[in-house]
Amino acid sequence: MHYVTMKNGRLGAVIENYLIDLDVASVALGLAVPCTDMWSLLDGPQSVQDNLEALVKMAHENNIACVSYGPELVGPPLPQLRRNVFCIGKNYADHAAEIADKMGISADLPKYPIVFSKATNTLIGPLDSIPLHAGVTRKIDYEGELALVIGKSGVNISKQDAWSHVFGFACYNDVSARDLQKRHNQWHLGKCLDGFGPMGPAITPTYGKPLSDDLRLTCKVNGELRQDATLAQMIFDIPTLIATLSAGITLEVGDVIATGTPAGVGMGFNPMRFLVPGDEVEVAIEGTLPLTNRLALA
């Protein structure tokens, strides 16, 4: 089951390719809706999620408030971000190698996670157009990633407890302006242009359990497979990332962690293959719904 934010702002669930409007379903079944939107789900106690899952099961079994799912029916799963996205750089060895010369950085594997952030203005949802920003950048690149959503706040979280703080995971595209990223010798401007953080379409709960190292992440451009990796290829695994980020910094409910991208980005090709207007990028992760966006035409 996957949780989504519908275009009307209400909370929905996708199960077996059906989208269920939880508010409509609760009225039809004569039940009190446990929560109305994604933030009230995240902020609520565990009982809210338990009640929602029971509601989804009843609605699905009785074909109540069910319509065929399509990404055009939903927006970003988090309608807005409360603070910047935590991002991890160079977390796949093959990606670190492919960009080293072109970015003028070391190909050595990092000893500690490299952390940067993407501002809240970057967030867009499925099928939303990635802006061109003509006159600002000429080298727009894609980075398919797995994003985590924090469900329980904490500071100085141990690796052993890390998964208990995760609500779920989603597809993410860390869109990057490579010319800005290289020009300024740090990554903030190249990563934080408006609309450079597509996310969704869904947040898929993990129920406090670790994701499998065999979980596969892919990214396609116009149907061509560009990135293909498993979580086992990460340099720093998810418990290490959560422990590192929470050391002296409180992770809050709803925080998003983008865990890094594997090899196959446009900059990694020779010649480089940056996105052009109209290109379609699909990020897919086993177990959740795929994310598709196009680079704007103008």
Side-chain angles (χ1 to χ4, degrees):
M1 185 174 66
H2 320 281
Y3 290 111
V4 297
T5 295
M6 300 183 298
K7 288 292 190 181
N8 58 19
R10 295 201 299 262
L11 184 66
V14 177
I15 181 171
E16 296 183 6
N17 211 38
Y18 286 99
L19 171 62
I20 300 173
D21 185 323
L22 297 177
D23 186 60
V24 173
S26 65
V27 171
L29 291 167
L31 302 173
V33 63
C35 59
T36 57
D37 58 28
M38 189 70 76
W39 280 112
S40 58
L41 169 59
L42 291 171
D43 289 331
Q46 179 61 45
S47 59
V48 169
Q49 186 174 341
D50 294 340
N51 291 337
L52 275 177
E53 292 188 0
L55 174 60
V56 170
K57 183 178 180 180
M58 291 176 63
H60 182 246
E61 289 177 348
N62 293 281
N63 196 30
I64 294 172
C66 295
V67 298
S68 294
Y69 165 75
E72 72 279 359
L73 300 176
V74 303
L78 294 172
Q80 72 283 330
L81 299 174
R82 288 175 174 169
R83 61 179 182 178
N84 286 7
V85 176
F86 293 93
C87 298
I88 307 300
K90 295 174 63 175
N91 199 27
Y92 289 77
D94 51 3
H95 173 62
E98 73 174 348
I99 66 169
D101 287 343
K102 293 165 183 177
M103 290 295 296
I105 58 179
S106 171
D108 294 341
L109 299 185
K111 295 181 180 179
Y112 304 97
I114 297 171
V115 182
F116 62 96
S117 73
K118 289 181 79 90
T120 59
N121 60 291
T122 59
L123 179 68
I124 59 174
L127 302 185
D128 288 341
S129 294
I130 300 167
L132 281 177
H133 294 291
V136 177
T137 178
R138 298 178 61 185
K139 297 181 179 180
I140 298 177
D141 208 350
Y142 54 89
E143 292 191 5
E145 306 198 11
L146 180 144
L148 302 170
V149 178
I150 295 298
K152 181 174 73 173
S153 64
V155 64
N156 301 326
I157 299 167
S158 69
K159 293 181 185 179
Q160 292 75 17
D161 291 338
W163 283 106
S164 70
H165 289 263
V166 175
F167 174 79
F169 70 106
C171 294
Y172 191 81
N173 188 351
D174 177 16
V175 182
S176 306
R178 298 300 190 192
D179 41 4
L180 298 183
Q181 187 180 359
K182 185 174 182 179
R183 179 188 308 159
H184 295 279
N185 295 317
Q186 49 72 44
W187 298 353
H188 186 79
L189 292 179
K191 298 284 189 175
C192 290
L193 299 184
D194 291 350
F196 269 29
M199 180 180 176
I203 301 174
T204 301
T206 54
Y207 306 104
K209 298 178 180 179
L211 294 173
S212 169
D213 283 344
D214 294 329
L215 200 69
R216 185 182 178 208
L217 180 157
T218 61
C219 181
K220 297 178 181 179
V221 177
N222 300 325
E224 176 192 358
L225 183 64
R226 298 279 186 90
Q227 297 181 279
D228 189 355
T230 66
L231 300 192
Q233 294 171 251
M234 286 183 175
I235 299 170
F236 303 104
D237 63 13
I238 287 169
T240 299
L241 297 179
I242 290 175
T244 300
L245 291 171
S246 69
I249 299 174
T250 300
L251 293 182
E252 303 286 358
V253 171
D255 278 348
V256 177
I257 303 171
T259 57
T261 200
V265 300
M267 172 175 272
F269 288 89
N270 189 16
M272 293 181 276
R273 302 174 69 181
F274 297 117
L275 298 177
V276 299
D279 275 353
E280 179 183 270
V281 183
E282 180 199 74
V283 180
I285 301 171
E286 291 177 336
T288 192
L289 303 177
L291 171 68
T292 300
N293 301 89
R294 287 183 181 272
L295 191 63
L297 293 172

